[in-house]
Amino acid sequence: MKRLVVVDSNRCVGCDLCVYACTNRYGYVGVSKSAIHVRSAGGIERGFVVVVCRACRDPPCARACPVDALVLRKGGGVVLNPSKCIGCGFCVTACDIGAVMWDSETMKPVICTHCGYCVAFCPHRVISLEEVG
Amino acid sequence: MVDWVKSLSKVLYVDLGRKVSWVEEREDLFGKWLGGVGVAVQLYKEEVPRGADPLGHENAVIFAIGPLTGVFPMASKVVAVFKSPLSGFIAEAHGGGRAAATIRFAGYGAIVIKGASDIPIYIVVDGEKVRFRDAGALWGMRSSETVGRVLREALPGAGYRTIMRIGRAGERLVRYSNLTVETYRHFGRMGLGAVFGSKKLKALVVIGKSGFKLPNVRAYREVYKEVYELARGPLTKKYHDLGTAANVLPLDKLGALPTRNFISGRFEGAREISGEKLAEENLARRVACLACPVACIHLAAIREEYEDERYFYKTEFVPYDHEPIYALGSNLGISDRFGLLKLIKAVEDEGLDSISAGVVLAWATEALERGLVSLKETLVELRWGDWRNYIRAVGYIVSQPNEFYKTLALGVEEAAARYGGAEFALAYDRVEPAGYHTGPLYHASLAIGFRHSHLDAGAYAIDQSLVASGAPVPSPEEAVKQIIEEESWRQVLNSLVLCLFGRGVYTKEVVVKALRALGYEADEQTLAELGRRVYLEKHGIKFLEGFKPEGIRIPRRILETPTPLGQVREEFLKGVVSYYAKLVRDYIGDRSAG
């Protein structure tokens, strides 16, 4: 199994092409369906914060879900079962690093599947897929 | 109608006078004119009456993006169209940063700002909600950087927003003040900052979080991949590595780097302020506009010890590009890199267009040297290379403590009209020139240019190819053809809206492919015709507003200082202007009477 990791956020130039790639998995363009988030670290001159799911072994988001819509993923992190999800948003609050995003159209969380589609569209090698046991 | 047009066709109107906003569906405009400059010019036509005062409530600012914005790499620019307080006519400026894709994902294709507020305000556009906020606490703030920081901390949407704001220069209506985006990018030219200032509009913040379903994902991904690979390859490497500052040394070598108010095309200090030297000694970070893999934005760090305390340091960040290096560096005889960066920083903090500011200061230096003005006017000794005094003068241009600086705030044309020295007052149609002295085609393109950017038609490249090939300079008629053909095609790129640094990536073939992937039935011929039409529409409006290019003043200095192609001949420039004028007048025809 693999997981997505931020190799060096100092290499990030803030182009958001990873964000667009992620949204594109669903046949969309834009930012609404991205599981990655990039923002400045308090002014562009300080560089960027790249927020991705860490693929926790004991994920707080799953524990916070009242309806078991987040199932543990092999290799860490969770898989969303959208038909179970009631859109309460507890998972978003439970993730201290802010890696559970929110789709305000479906009113459900956006969960990183660690597919690595974004990696191919990062021009500056900020993120990569890492093998996990 | 192409479905994709619908995703783009919402126009947000904001009336600052009545503090109301509304949205209109304008599929009619986006269907016919694509977006960007094409659409913005039409909206300008609807909104700004012919005799409008550029600093009055009748002026409007139109921001527009296009079908490729946020969708394809390097579609990263917003076009702003407004009446310029510097030239007095319809004008256009482009800005990057995070503005373009953010407006797109806030759900709009264009934003029209009209009217004027009675009190300082700023606007927050959060998707469908538009809020008017009191800018009393921000008005008069010393640095535009601080304004950005305050808004960043006060407002939601980090990572999904753009913060456009003016500095004190815009508040005080300096005719060449700019609109700053994300601290380091600008709608630089033609005085958009003063238009914001006249409307008492300190900032425009947009938060965009949405997305759009693609009509054909497979087709899109195929073209996307191709464009992405091209955009991060050799075609843009120059911009990524050294940035636009890469031009400094080649231009100097060619004898085309304007120096000390264009008295020469060579600067003995060029190496010190070159892209190479800046990268080696000062470059701290490279950043990108949204949707751009190139990351041409180069930020220098300057470390400085406080004079009153040893080992007490501060570090500041300063963006650099070819244009400020020319205007505030070689053109003012500054080869001290630290001093140049400090001067750029001062200009940035005040929110001035660095090109115009540098040219104005260069004229003032020469006027003082020749005794047209004295220290009584200039208040500080303006001497080539003395960056400390230039920093003081930048402050005076904004604070305007006397008649002289009040006049400098109006631009170099007004300064020369009042104090003399027109022969070395560098401006075409009242607008100070960008930093190339490559030859007759470049100067011709400025004389008939719209944005007064070197990117209007890229004619410096035509000059350079003539130098390389040794081919003769074309006739004025042939030159006009070349310039207008290129500028017309660029209207297509500016309607999509692409960054012109991507013009090598987006060949006609690639543009057609990208549009087709989104469902547009485009072909090269139709697009070329559209570009020509947009060109004529916008130049036509300028003529209808009273622009008379035949009366253009050609500064003697341009004609005297040799270019790599020899001296520029006045008859050549006049010839170009007259062919251009005829072409536009043929287009507008009878409308000029009304």
Side-chain angles (χ1 to χ4, degrees):
Chain A
M1 291 299 280
K2 291 185 156 60
R3 72 166 187 141
L4 180 65
V5 290
V6 178
V7 182
D8 183 357
S9 61
N10 266 318
R11 296 183 70 107
C12 178
V13 297
C15 67
D16 267 20
L17 290 177
C18 56
V19 174
Y20 302 149
C22 190
T23 287
N24 193 238
R25 291 175 309 145
Y26 300 96
Y28 279 71
V29 293
V31 293
S32 56
K33 301 189 186 300
S34 174
I36 305 187
H37 183 53
V38 179
R39 62 167 195 271
S40 87
I44 283 169
E45 64 281 356
R46 291 189 167 76
F48 293 89
V49 176
V50 183
V51 183
V52 304
C53 170
R54 292 194 68 238
C56 307
R57 292 291 176 171
D58 182 14
C61 57
R63 272 187 275 128
C65 180
V67 292
D68 293 329
L70 295 172
V71 183
L72 294 191
R73 172 186 168 273
K74 210 179 146 201
V78 290
V79 178
L80 173 72
N81 181 344
S83 42
K84 276 193 174 181
C85 174
I86 55 169
C88 66
F90 291 176
C91 52
V92 175
T93 332
C95 181
D96 276 343
I97 60 173
V100 178
M101 306 300 162
W102 193 251
D103 183 339
S104 51
E105 283 168 37
T106 60
M107 291 301 278
K108 291 186 186 200
V110 184
I111 303 286
C112 177
T113 61
H114 297 270
C115 70
Y117 188 66
C118 52
V119 174
F121 293 102
C122 174
H124 303 295
R125 287 174 281 141
V126 176
I127 45 180
S128 79
L129 272 190
E130 178 189 88
E131 196 65 46
V132 284
Chain B
M1 182 67 63
V2 185
D3 276 352
W4 199 248
V5 172
K6 288 186 194 140
S7 76
L8 188 66
S9 58
K10 275 194 190 130
V11 176
L12 173 66
Y13 290 82
V14 181
D15 183 334
L16 299 174
R18 294 188 293 138
K19 319 277 188 303
V20 291
S21 69
W22 67 96
V23 174
E24 287 180 26
E25 288 285 349
R26 297 304 303 268
E27 284 177 37
D28 56 329
L29 293 183
F30 285 91
K32 186 172 175 189
W33 299 98
L34 284 178
V37 62
V39 165
V41 162
Q42 297 305 314
L43 285 167
Y44 177 92
K45 236 159 115 173
E46 293 176 7
E47 297 295 333
V48 183
R50 230 172 250 185
D53 172 1
L55 297 177
H57 66 96
E58 283 183 329
N59 197 2
V61 180
I62 293 120
F63 293 103
I65 54 166
L68 302 192
T69 303
V71 182
F72 279 102
M74 300 193 83
S76 54
K77 293 272 189 179
V78 180
V79 171
V81 171
F82 52 97
K83 196 170 201 180
S84 164
L86 185 59
S87 73
F89 301 109
I90 180 177
E92 177 185 350
H94 297 186
R98 302 176 79 81
T102 302
I103 291 173
R104 182 90 166 106
F105 300 130
Y108 304 107
I111 300 175
V112 176
I113 295 176
K114 47 199 281 184
S117 174
D118 47 347
I119 55 155
I121 55 168
Y122 68 97
I123 307 171
V124 182
V125 179
D126 187 353
E128 315 230 309
K129 294 185 284 283
V130 177
R131 292 192 177 88
F132 296 89
R133 308 278 298 255
D134 187 340
L138 302 172
W139 205 256
M141 213 169 242
R142 193 170 51 82
S143 160
S144 134
E145 192 186 331
T146 314
V147 174
R149 188 191 309 152
V150 170
L151 291 176
R152 218 159 50 219
E153 288 168 7
L155 296 171
Y160 298 109
R161 65 191 176 190
T162 179
I163 301 175
M164 310 184 206
R165 71 272 193 176
I166 58 167
R168 282 197 305 196
E171 293 175 13
R172 301 187 61 94
L173 309 179
V174 178
R175 302 302 193 267
Y176 43 91
S177 49
N178 65 18
L179 177 66
T180 298
V181 190
E182 273 67 80
T183 316
Y184 303 114
R185 295 291 94 184
H186 320 88
F187 292 88
R189 308 234 64 201
M190 313 301 287
L192 182 52
V195 178
F196 262 53
S198 72
K199 296 182 176 305
K200 295 247 180 359
L201 179 58
K202 183 68 186 176
L204 168 62
V205 181
V206 182
I207 303 169
K209 293 185 172 181
S210 75
F212 302 98
K213 189 139 186 70
L214 285 156
N216 181 344
V217 184
R218 185 183 297 231
Y220 168 75
R221 282 192 184 153
E222 202 173 294
V223 184
Y224 187 98
K225 186 102 181 77
E226 182 186 340
V227 173
Y228 173 74
E229 291 304 336
L230 287 171
R232 63 199 288 242
L235 290 168
T236 61
K237 190 172 173 358
K238 167 181 135 182
Y239 298 114
H240 176 65
D241 287 354
L242 295 177
T244 57
N247 291 333
V248 173
L249 284 182
L251 283 175
D252 179 63
K253 194 171 165 215
L254 207 57
L257 179 67
T259 300
R260 294 187 181 86
N261 204 25
F262 281 72
I263 198 82
S264 165
R266 287 208 166 81
F267 182 44
E268 72 286 353
R271 168 77 205 155
E272 274 305 301
I273 56 170
S274 65
E276 288 80 353
K277 193 79 177 173
L278 278 157
E280 285 156 18
E281 303 290 336
N282 306 88
L283 179 58
R285 196 177 280 283
R286 289 184 293 198
V287 294
C289 294
L290 276 187
C292 181
V294 177
C296 78
I297 307 166
H298 284 55
L299 303 180
I302 42 174
R303 179 172 173 259
E304 189 180 358
E305 190 177 38
Y306 282 93
E307 279 171 16
D308 59 353
E309 191 177 335
R310 216 166 161 218
Y311 303 130
F312 190 23
Y313 288 96
K314 65 173 173 180
T315 300
E316 294 177 307
F317 292 84
V318 186
Y320 63 84
D321 266 298
H322 169 70
E323 298 295 353
I325 293 173
Y326 130 72
L328 303 170
S330 60
N331 204 43
L332 294 178
I334 296 175
S335 56
D336 179 330
R337 216 171 38 258
F338 175 80
L340 167 62
L341 290 168
K342 287 293 284 183
L343 179 57
I344 295 177
K345 170 86 175 128
V347 166
E348 286 285 317
D349 284 348
E350 297 285 11
L352 287 163
D353 170 15
S354 58
I355 298 178
S356 289
V359 171
V360 164
L361 289 172
W363 171 86
T365 306
E366 207 169 327
L368 181 65
E369 218 172 52
R370 290 164 181 254
L372 296 178
V373 293
S374 69
L375 260 178
K376 193 162 109 344
E377 278 86 24
T378 62
L379 304 176
V380 287
E381 192 82 56
L382 297 174
R383 277 181 308 242
W384 304 121
D386 188 343
W387 54 270
R388 285 183 185 82
N389 279 351
Y390 284 127
I391 288 176
R392 289 182 191 110
V394 164
Y396 291 145
I397 286 174
V398 177
S399 64
Q400 297 162 34
N402 62 14
E403 272 309 302
F404 179 69
Y405 282 102
K406 278 194 181 79
T407 312
L408 286 194
L410 303 177
V412 82
E413 193 75 35
E414 287 295 323
R418 172 83 190 262
Y419 297 96
E423 63 278 16
F424 57 86
L426 277 291
Y428 288 105
D429 306 324
R430 308 172 59 85
V431 184
E432 297 77 12
Y436 300 77
H437 191 54
T438 47
L441 273 91
Y442 173 69
H443 285 290
S445 80
L446 284 184
I448 65 172
F450 198 81
R451 291 170 55 203
H452 292 269
S453 156
H454 65 295
L455 288 169
D456 255 339
Y460 58 93
I462 310 177
D463 284 332
Q464 280 165 294
S465 72
L466 292 175
V467 176
S469 67
V473 172
S475 68
E477 193 174 4
E478 180 53 34
V480 167
K481 266 192 207 146
Q482 285 185 29
I483 290 168
I484 293 182
E485 194 184 327
E486 182 60 29
E487 195 167 335
S488 295
W489 172 248
R490 290 181 183 211
Q491 303 315 304
V492 176
L493 303 180
N494 295 339
S495 296
L496 290 171
V497 175
L498 296 162
C499 172
L500 288 172
F501 293 169
R503 63 190 181 275
V505 171
Y506 285 91
T507 58
K508 289 181 178 154
E509 195 194 339
V510 172
V511 166
V512 167
K513 270 202 251 182
L515 281 170
R516 286 203 174 149
L518 299 172
Y520 287 79
E521 281 310 316
D523 60 65
E524 289 182 24
Q525 178 80 21
T526 323
L527 288 173
E529 276 163 24
L530 178 77
R532 196 166 171 81
R533 189 79 199 280
V534 174
Y535 177 91
L536 289 167
E537 279 284 301
K538 67 181 199 181
H539 285 266
I541 294 172
K542 197 166 158 185
F543 278 59
L544 291 170
E545 287 178 338
F547 177 54
K548 292 189 178 59
E550 291 88 346
I552 190 173
R553 181 182 72 81
I554 296 163
R556 299 238 55 90
R557 177 63 49 78
I558 295 291
L559 306 172
E560 285 163 5
T561 303
T563 73
L565 290 169
Q567 280 181 324
V568 178
R569 289 173 26 250
E570 186 163 15
E571 313 83 78
F572 176 85
L573 295 181
K574 296 258 178 194
V576 164
V577 166
S578 115
Y579 281 115
Y580 156 78
K582 182 174 182 318
L583 185 95
V584 180
R585 290 223 170 85
D586 283 350
Y587 178 73
I588 53 176
D590 292 343
R591 281 186 288 159
S592 52

